[in-house]
Structures are given as structure tokens and as C-alpha cells.
Amino acid sequence: MTVMGTARPAGRPRSERAEKAIVDATLDLIGEGTSVSELSIESVAARAGVGKTTIYRRWANKEELVGDALATLKAPLPEIEGRTVREDLIAYLDVMRQDSLTVRTRCIMNIAMSEPERHPRLYERFQRTAIEPRRAAMRAVLERGVATGELRPDLDVEMAIGMLTGTMLWYTKGAAHGLLPGGVVPADLAPRIVDEALRGFRPS
């Protein structure tokens, strides 16, 4: 005799705890020096204490897993107040500065960005999920500044993005390689970069 009741959903719900363990294991292995090429699903499963099938239920391959894991390292996008271009640009650049503060983050990001030719799908995924959203947000701030007259009408927005982010990257990478005094990124770096850039971005 069949007992009537609420039907049980097909399959099992994903375990958030297992997913976190898998992502953390991936980041730890890469942070310890394992290259993306050397990383294996088997090694991640062993470190996370799960079976390989648990990983494959969520990620189709290693590149997808690494892409998602790397995306978690990026600090969340800041809330945009929209008061001034200066304030919003400082908020975005300071997120970049905070991204560089931990040794593990710096190590993993360097590895991830050094193998784009060998793992183009991973690089494209990382660009799409972690980098382009931040570039798009900064682009929107600059375009708004041009529209409101805070910035020059002929401003090259893409060039401006490169100048702002490139300068921050120059400092953060310099700190990581001991090229800055004390090896520390100054806490006030974001406003200093923005103020210097705005000297040329604003209408004369």
C-alpha cells in the first residue's frame, strides 16, 4: 500500500558547506604554489574531504571550478552614492587596494593572470565574472561625470579607466614584490590617485 504524502524533490540539495570546502581547498592549493595546470579534481576533493562526484555535480570541469573560486576573492562592489565622481572613483579604487592586502590573494591572482594562453576559458570566465563588472561600474561613473559636466566632454573613458586601475595595480604589485617602502600599499592611495587623475579629467 502506498502512503500518500508530500513528494520528495528529485535529487539532493547542494551542500553549501561542501561547496565552501571545495572552493577553499582550490584556493589553498593554488595559494600554496600549485599552478592551474597542475591542479586536479582529485587533489581538490582530497583536500576538501569530499568525493569527486560532489565536485562534478556543481562544476563541469577544473576551469569552471577555478574560475568560480577566483571570483570569490574579489571584494564586493561598493555601493555607489552617486554624489560626486571623485567619491565614487575612490570607492572603486579602494576595493582594488583591499583586494591586494592578503598574501594568499596576491599569490593566487598572480598565478591566475599568468596562464591566460594555457587556459583561455578560465581567463575569459574570470574576466567576465570578476573583472568586467568592475570595469563596467567605473565606466558608468566616468560616463555620468561627462554627462553632468564634472568631467571633460572629450574624455577618453577607456583610457581613463586604464590610467586609474593601472596606477593602482602598479602600486599593489610593487608592494607585493617589495618595491615599495615597507612593502605596504598606502591606506590613502585611492584618493591620491583619483585627485591626480582628475586634474586632467576635469574641464579646464
Side-chain angles (χ1 to χ4, degrees):
M1 177 173 149
T2 303
V3 178
M4 301 299 293
T6 303
R8 184 175 181 179
R12 292 178 296 176
R14 291 175 183 152
S15 168
E16 292 184 7
R17 182 177 301 176
E19 288 192 9
K20 184 179 186 304
I22 293 166
V23 168
D24 286 345
T26 303
L27 296 177
D28 286 340
L29 287 167
I30 298 177
E32 291 167 7
T34 302
S35 70
V36 176
S37 298
E38 296 167 339
L39 189 74
S40 68
I41 294 297
E42 289 80 3
S43 63
V44 173
R47 175 65 69 92
V50 301
K52 289 191 296 181
T53 55
T54 301
I55 296 178
Y56 282 120
R57 285 194 199 102
R58 176 63 179 88
W59 293 278
N61 51 55
K62 177 177 67 176
E63 284 74 17
E64 287 191 5
L65 168 57
V66 174
D68 281 356
L70 290 174
T72 68
L73 292 172
K74 306 297 287 184
L77 288 171
E79 291 292 331
I80 289 300
E81 299 293 338
R83 289 192 292 259
T84 68
V85 168
R86 178 180 182 273
E87 291 176 359
D88 291 344
L89 291 178
I90 289 173
Y92 279 117
L93 285 189
D94 204 53
V95 166
M96 291 183 64
R97 182 186 68 84
Q98 293 174 42
D99 278 343
S100 73
L101 293 180
T102 67
V103 174
R104 182 171 110 164
T105 299
R106 291 199 301 264
C107 177
I108 293 171
M109 295 302 296
N110 287 339
I111 293 174
M113 302 303 286
S114 67
E115 297 186 289
E117 295 83 9
R118 299 188 67 177
H119 302 281
R121 288 190 302 170
L122 168 59
Y123 185 72
E124 290 170 7
R125 183 181 179 84
F126 185 63
Q127 284 278 114
R128 185 174 65 253
T129 61
I131 296 178
E132 186 50 39
R134 287 157 179 78
R135 289 181 60 85
M138 186 173 287
R139 187 179 299 115
V141 171
L142 292 169
E143 290 175 346
R144 188 193 76 217
V146 171
T148 61
E150 290 179 80
L151 304 178
R152 296 189 345 245
D154 63 341
L155 179 69
D156 186 329
V157 172
E158 295 304 315
M159 180 68 73
I161 293 172
M163 292 170 65
L164 290 163
T165 59
T167 304
M168 178 59 76
L169 286 172
W170 187 86
Y171 274 92
T172 56
K173 287 185 175 294
H177 292 89
L179 302 179
L180 295 183
V184 177
V185 179
D188 64 343
L189 183 58
R192 286 168 54 193
I193 292 174
V194 171
D195 286 341
E196 286 298 324
L198 287 179
R199 294 176 188 273
F201 293 176
R202 285 179 173 137
S204 57

